[in-house]
Amino acid sequence: MSSVRSSLDEAGAGGRTPAAGHDPVQDEADERADGPRVALKILVAGGFGVGKTTLVGAVSEIRPLRTEEALTDASVGVDDLDGVAAKTTTTVAMDFGRITLRDGVAIYLFGTPGQERFWFMWNELSRGALGAVVLADTRRLMASFASIDYFERKGTPFIVAVNCFDDAERYEPAEIRTALDIDPHVPVLLCDARHTVSAKQVLVSLVEHALRLAGGTRHAS
């Protein structure tokens, strides 16, 4: 598991760190030709306006693919803007980003749409996923329940990452675990989706959790 952490630490937002003595230009050309040897798929889920697009953008080494559209009068009464009234756009399909680690391992990030009217896409996006990050906002904690219920039903490994907005109340992970009524083995952590280091820590925690489950062990966070 320490190798997962060090690999993510080495992979900066602008790309991976080349090994000593390697030609980075040739390495990049080879990777484009052959593709990554191992590909991992991670979902970033959660309610509307919790910061999914922001987190994907904070860690992706490529310019993230975004399918955002402006909120219009047609969404009034459909999308719940309570607590995120300043939000002007919404993801209507998915966000996509990539992190390339050493040894030809690539992590593909898929941010899911948060509104209920787009949930029909979740089954396709979750196919083959290693696990999921459920982003939560303490101002709208109930918006996290749908994502948690979905991954619990699917048996998909997931963690809960609370995006600490500047104007949100601060709570300890244990308090959030109780409020969300999630199993003791599911990690709960605090993060700032705007910051690369914090967003990477979220991904590390998910991968480590998925590996623990694959190994048949469960630990509370």
Side-chain angles (χ1 to χ4, degrees):
M1 292 185 188
S2 61
S3 62
V4 173
R5 187 179 303 276
S6 60
S7 294
L8 274 168
D9 287 342
E10 291 174 6
R16 63 178 179 176
T17 301
H22 284 197
D23 181 349
V25 176
Q26 185 60 48
D27 286 348
E28 185 174 352
D30 291 343
E31 184 169 308
R32 284 199 303 268
D34 301 333
R37 289 187 291 275
V38 177
L40 304 177
K41 181 179 183 181
I42 289 177
L43 299 186
V44 181
F48 178 54
V50 295
K52 299 181 295 292
T53 299
T54 300
L55 187 143
V56 172
V59 296
S60 178
E61 69 188 19
I62 62 173
R63 183 175 181 179
L65 169 65
R66 293 172 176 167
T67 56
E68 289 192 312
E69 295 292 341
L71 290 170
T72 65
D73 291 341
S75 67
V76 175
V78 178
D79 296 327
D80 181 10
L81 297 179
D82 184 30
V84 288
K87 188 168 174 61
T88 59
T89 61
T90 181
T91 298
V92 296
M94 66 175 183
D95 299 308
F96 174 77
R98 185 188 72 196
I99 305 172
T100 304
L101 309 181
R102 62 190 180 189
D103 301 326
V105 178
I107 294 178
Y108 295 108
L109 302 172
F110 291 82
T112 66
Q115 301 97 308
E116 184 174 355
R117 56 197 167 115
F118 297 125
W119 286 356
F120 67 91
M121 298 187 62
W122 285 22
N123 285 336
E124 288 299 322
L125 289 175
S126 64
R127 195 183 306 275
L130 172 73
V133 174
V134 176
L135 272 182
D137 178 356
T138 57
R139 300 170 302 178
R140 311 169 74 240
L141 205 56
M142 289 186 63
S144 305
F145 282 117
S147 297
I148 292 172
D149 289 344
Y150 178 82
F151 294 121
E152 285 181 340
R153 290 197 308 271
K154 295 270 294 183
T156 302
F158 72 94
I159 67 170
V160 174
V162 180
N163 193 10
C164 297
F165 288 88
D166 293 337
D167 59 344
E169 293 286 340
R170 298 292 192 267
Y171 297 93
E172 292 299 319
E175 297 176 283
I176 295 166
R177 180 188 303 281
T178 300
L180 292 176
D181 191 26
I182 56 178
D183 291 340
H185 76 276
V186 176
V188 177
L189 62 156
L190 308 179
C191 74
D192 188 330
R194 300 169 297 182
H195 298 158
T196 300
V197 172
S198 183
K200 282 183 180 179
Q201 178 58 51
V202 170
L203 300 182
V204 168
S205 296
L206 171 62
V207 174
E208 291 179 341
H209 176 56
L211 291 175
R212 283 197 297 267
L213 293 183
T217 59
R218 294 186 171 187
H219 301 282
S221 173

